[in-house]
Amino acid sequence: MGETTAEASSAGLMIDLIISLDGYASAEGWPGWWGLEGPEYLAWLEKEGEKEYTFLLGANTYRLMSSMSEEAAAEDSGFSEDEGASLTGLVAVPKIVFSSTLKAPLTWPNSELVTGDAVAAVAEMKRTRTGPLSTLGSLSLSRSLLAAGLVDRFRLVVFPVITGRTGRERIYDGYPDVSLEMVNSRTFDGRLQLLEYVPTVLSGPPGSGPR
């Protein structure tokens, strides 16, 4: 019926997303983190930054995040202090960018370009690397890696907002059916909910049998 999405490997892969309650990654006119970040969540983000992840990005996310990181480093950037620190901190983090349109060398420091098939490249990374891998945004890339059975952990931080009118970037469109076994949960600042799962891609609804 189901197929676990990742076998034991040297480098674990996590899809890591922030999300509104109704399934959007962002909303037009709303600030970063929907304006709901608090001290517990920000402290947790800082500790997560010490875990030496290698981030996986698609071309669109690379263009957006590299531009925002450069902007955040400038004076009077318009970002909050916490947003600016988060964005500028990405400069030092190793990043792998999957794109057939970008050209090397990439200008954002510590960014490596992969022009071939992302699924095949990540499968090889999981066999040959030892450090943790995590997506950074990149909804299409995340969806492809999940569907290919490469994801070890699926982690969300759910923000308590519904952005039915202004929501942008619907996260789950095009996903396969997936069952989720919860392995961790936590509440930040009395309002943000962290949910971490082991995902299993399904070939059909539970109990439907072979197709």
Side-chain angles (χ1 to χ4, degrees):
M1 174 62 210
E3 175 186 353
T4 55
T5 63
E7 299 176 355
S9 61
S10 298
L13 170 61
M14 179 171 64
I15 286 180
D16 193 23
L17 299 167
I18 62 171
I19 184 171
S20 67
L21 188 61
D22 54 341
Y24 288 97
S26 63
E28 185 176 356
W30 290 66
W33 296 307
W34 291 273
L36 294 172
E37 72 276 13
E40 289 181 1
Y41 177 59
L42 293 171
W44 175 79
L45 281 179
E46 185 175 354
K47 288 186 177 180
E48 282 294 292
E50 299 170 359
K51 292 185 177 179
E52 299 183 348
Y53 288 106
T54 295
F55 286 136
L56 310 181
L57 299 78
N60 289 338
T61 299
Y62 171 82
R63 294 184 181 99
L64 174 65
M65 298 302 293
S66 60
S67 175
M68 291 174 65
S69 180
E70 182 177 357
E71 181 182 350
E75 293 184 9
D76 302 322
S77 67
F79 291 105
S80 70
E81 182 178 350
D82 293 320
E83 283 181 307
S86 179
L87 288 166
T88 55
L90 290 172
V91 170
V93 178
K95 299 169 287 288
I96 299 175
V97 184
F98 301 92
S99 174
S100 60
T101 57
L102 295 172
K103 303 296 182 183
L106 298 176
T107 57
W108 202 11
N110 298 303
S111 297
E112 173 188 349
L113 178 63
V114 174
T115 58
D117 180 72
V119 168
V122 173
E124 179 65 17
M125 289 175 199
K126 285 172 60 64
R127 286 192 293 267
T128 59
R129 298 190 179 219
T130 56
L133 305 171
S134 176
T135 57
L136 179 64
S138 305
L139 301 184
S140 296
L141 174 64
S142 296
R143 182 172 61 241
S144 297
L145 297 176
L146 181 70
L150 295 175
V151 177
D152 300 282
R153 291 288 188 271
F154 191 84
R155 188 172 73 183
L156 309 170
V157 176
V158 182
F159 285 70
V161 294
I162 294 173
T163 54
R165 182 173 60 85
T166 57
R168 296 291 182 270
E169 300 178 291
R170 287 176 57 86
I171 287 178
Y172 299 125
D173 286 355
Y175 264 53
D177 288 355
V178 183
S179 68
L180 301 168
E181 177 189 356
M182 183 176 286
V183 293
N184 188 24
S185 65
R186 178 176 174 181
T187 300
F188 300 111
D189 305 296
R191 58 180 179 266
L192 312 182
Q193 187 71 48
L194 179 146
L195 303 169
E196 185 173 349
Y197 302 96
V198 174
T200 301
V201 174
L202 303 175
S203 57
S208 65
R211 295 190 171 220

